[in-house]
Amino acid sequence: MHEGAIIHSLLEIAKDIRIKEELKEILEVKIVVGKFHQIVEEVMITNFDFMKTEYEGFEKAVLLMTEKDVSVKCEDCKHEFTIDEPIFMCPKCHSFNTELISGKELYIETMEGMKE
């Protein structure tokens, strides 16, 4: 499962932010994940809850996740559309000459915490 590796990386980044911002305790971590990653939210939260105990100041933190749709642009007719299946064909002109414009995001959007 790649969710565990993703959570580990996110916690490492969040830890660096906590230290830089001199936060004693993190209460909430909000992330944005593109649907292209095919991540299961429940697995992410379970991994986060398990791994956060290894990080000072994250014991009470909760993970909130926002998913971004996979959006595609047809290079031939310039039509923009979203997809649920990995079929990158334009529904307007049936071209496969498409470009992924969103859905691969994976980042920390915000963190809430308390200073000492």
Coordinates of all heavy atoms in Angstrom, one line a residue, residues 35-36 68-73 80-91 98-103:
K35 N -7.3 12.6 -7.6 CA -7.9 11.3 -7.7 C -7.1 10.4 -8.6 O -7.2 9.2 -8.5 CB -9.3 11.4 -8.3 CG -10.3 11.9 -7.3 CD -11.7 11.9 -7.9 CE -12.7 12.4 -6.9 NZ -14.1 12.4 -7.4
F36 N -6.2 10.9 -9.4 CA -5.3 10.2 -10.2 C -4.4 9.2 -9.4 O -4.0 8.1 -9.8 CB -4.4 11.1 -11.0 CG -3.6 10.4 -12.1 CD1 -4.2 10.2 -13.3 CD2 -2.3 10.1 -12.0 CE1 -3.6 9.5 -14.4 CE2 -1.6 9.5 -13.0 CZ -2.2 9.2 -14.2
K68 N -9.2 16.0 -5.5 CA -9.3 16.8 -6.7 C -9.7 15.9 -7.8 O -9.0 14.9 -8.0 CB -8.0 17.6 -7.0 CG -7.7 18.7 -6.1 CD -8.5 19.9 -6.6 CE -7.6 21.1 -6.4 NZ -8.2 22.3 -6.9
D69 N -10.6 16.3 -8.6 CA -11.0 15.5 -9.8 C -9.9 15.5 -10.8 O -9.0 16.4 -10.9 CB -12.2 16.1 -10.5 CG -13.5 15.8 -9.7 OD1 -13.6 14.8 -9.0 OD2 -14.5 16.6 -9.8
V70 N -9.9 14.4 -11.7 CA -8.9 14.3 -12.8 C -9.5 15.1 -13.9 O -10.6 14.8 -14.4 CB -8.7 12.9 -13.2 CG1 -7.7 12.8 -14.4 CG2 -8.1 12.1 -12.0
S71 N -8.9 16.2 -14.3 CA -9.3 17.1 -15.4 C -8.4 16.9 -16.5 O -7.1 16.9 -16.3 CB -9.4 18.5 -14.9 OG -10.4 18.7 -13.9
V72 N -8.9 16.9 -17.7 CA -8.1 16.7 -18.9 C -8.5 17.7 -20.0 O -9.7 18.2 -20.0 CB -8.4 15.2 -19.5 CG1 -7.6 15.0 -20.7 CG2 -8.1 14.2 -18.4
K73 N -7.6 18.1 -20.8 CA -7.8 19.0 -21.9 C -7.5 18.4 -23.2 O -6.4 17.8 -23.3 CB -7.0 20.3 -21.7 CG -7.2 21.3 -22.8 CD -6.4 22.6 -22.6 CE -6.6 23.6 -23.7 NZ -5.8 24.8 -23.4
E80 N -12.3 20.9 -22.3 CA -11.8 20.4 -21.0 C -12.9 19.6 -20.3 O -14.1 20.0 -20.4 CB -11.5 21.6 -20.1 CG -10.2 22.4 -20.5 CD -9.8 23.5 -19.6 OE1 -10.3 23.5 -18.4 OE2 -9.0 24.3 -20.0
F81 N -12.5 18.5 -19.7 CA -13.5 17.5 -19.1 C -12.8 16.8 -18.0 O -11.6 16.8 -17.8 CB -14.0 16.6 -20.2 CG -12.9 15.8 -20.9 CD1 -12.6 14.5 -20.6 CD2 -12.2 16.4 -22.0 CE1 -11.6 13.8 -21.3 CE2 -11.2 15.7 -22.7 CZ -10.9 14.4 -22.3
T82 N -13.7 16.2 -17.1 CA -13.2 15.4 -16.0 C -13.5 13.9 -16.4 O -14.4 13.6 -17.1 CB -13.9 15.7 -14.7 OG1 -15.3 15.6 -14.8 CG2 -13.6 17.2 -14.3
I83 N -12.6 13.1 -15.8 CA -12.8 11.6 -16.0 C -12.8 10.9 -14.7 O -12.2 11.3 -13.7 CB -11.7 11.0 -16.9 CG1 -10.3 11.3 -16.3 CG2 -11.8 11.6 -18.3 CD1 -9.2 10.6 -17.1
D84 N -13.5 9.8 -14.7 CA -13.6 8.9 -13.5 C -12.8 7.6 -13.8 O -12.3 6.9 -12.9 CB -15.0 8.5 -13.1 CG -15.8 9.7 -12.6 OD1 -15.2 10.5 -11.9 OD2 -17.0 9.8 -12.9
E85 N -12.7 7.2 -15.0 CA -11.9 6.1 -15.5 C -10.7 6.5 -16.2 O -10.7 7.6 -16.8 CB -12.8 5.2 -16.4 CG -14.1 4.7 -15.7 CD -13.9 3.7 -14.6 OE1 -12.9 2.9 -14.7 OE2 -14.6 3.8 -13.6
P86 N -9.6 5.7 -16.2 CA -8.4 6.1 -16.9 C -8.5 6.0 -18.4 O -7.7 5.3 -19.1 CB -7.4 5.2 -16.3 CG -8.1 4.0 -16.0 CD -9.5 4.4 -15.5
I87 N -9.5 6.7 -19.0 CA -9.7 6.7 -20.4 C -9.6 8.2 -20.9 O -10.5 9.0 -20.6 CB -11.1 6.1 -20.9 CG1 -11.2 4.7 -20.4 CG2 -11.2 6.2 -22.4 CD1 -12.6 4.1 -20.5
F88 N -8.4 8.5 -21.5 CA -8.1 9.9 -21.8 C -8.6 10.2 -23.2 O -7.8 10.8 -24.0 CB -6.6 10.1 -21.6 CG -6.2 10.0 -20.2 CD1 -5.9 8.8 -19.6 CD2 -6.1 11.2 -19.4 CE1 -5.5 8.7 -18.3 CE2 -5.7 11.1 -18.1 CZ -5.4 9.8 -17.5
M89 N -9.8 9.9 -23.5 CA -10.4 10.3 -24.8 C -11.4 11.4 -24.7 O -12.2 11.4 -23.8 CB -11.1 9.1 -25.4 CG -11.6 9.3 -26.8 SD -12.5 7.9 -27.5 CE -14.1 8.0 -26.7
C90 N -11.2 12.4 -25.6 CA -12.1 13.5 -25.5 C -13.5 13.1 -25.9 O -13.8 12.5 -26.9 CB -11.6 14.6 -26.5 SG -12.7 16.0 -26.7
P91 N -14.5 13.4 -25.0 CA -15.9 13.0 -25.3 C -16.5 13.9 -26.5 O -17.5 13.5 -27.0 CB -16.6 13.3 -24.0 CG -15.8 14.3 -23.3 CD -14.4 14.1 -23.8
T98 N -4.6 14.3 -25.6 CA -5.1 15.0 -24.4 C -4.0 15.3 -23.4 O -2.9 14.6 -23.5 CB -6.2 14.2 -23.7 OG1 -5.7 12.9 -23.3 CG2 -7.4 14.0 -24.5
E99 N -4.2 16.2 -22.5 CA -3.2 16.6 -21.5 C -3.9 16.6 -20.2 O -5.0 17.2 -20.0 CB -2.7 18.0 -21.8 CG -1.7 18.5 -20.8 CD -1.3 20.0 -21.0 OE1 -1.7 20.6 -22.0 OE2 -0.6 20.5 -20.2
L100 N -3.3 16.0 -19.2 CA -3.8 16.0 -17.8 C -3.5 17.4 -17.2 O -2.4 17.9 -17.2 CB -3.0 15.0 -17.0 CG -3.5 14.8 -15.6 CD1 -4.9 14.2 -15.5 CD2 -2.5 13.8 -14.9
I101 N -4.6 18.1 -16.8 CA -4.4 19.4 -16.2 C -4.6 19.5 -14.7 O -4.2 20.4 -14.0 CB -5.3 20.5 -16.9 CG1 -6.8 20.1 -16.9 CG2 -4.8 20.7 -18.3 CD1 -7.7 21.1 -17.6
S102 N -5.3 18.5 -14.1 CA -5.4 18.4 -12.7 C -5.7 17.0 -12.3 O -6.2 16.2 -13.1 CB -6.4 19.4 -12.1 OG -7.7 19.0 -12.3
G103 N -5.5 16.6 -11.0 CA -5.8 15.3 -10.5 C -4.6 14.6 -10.0 O -4.7 13.5 -9.4

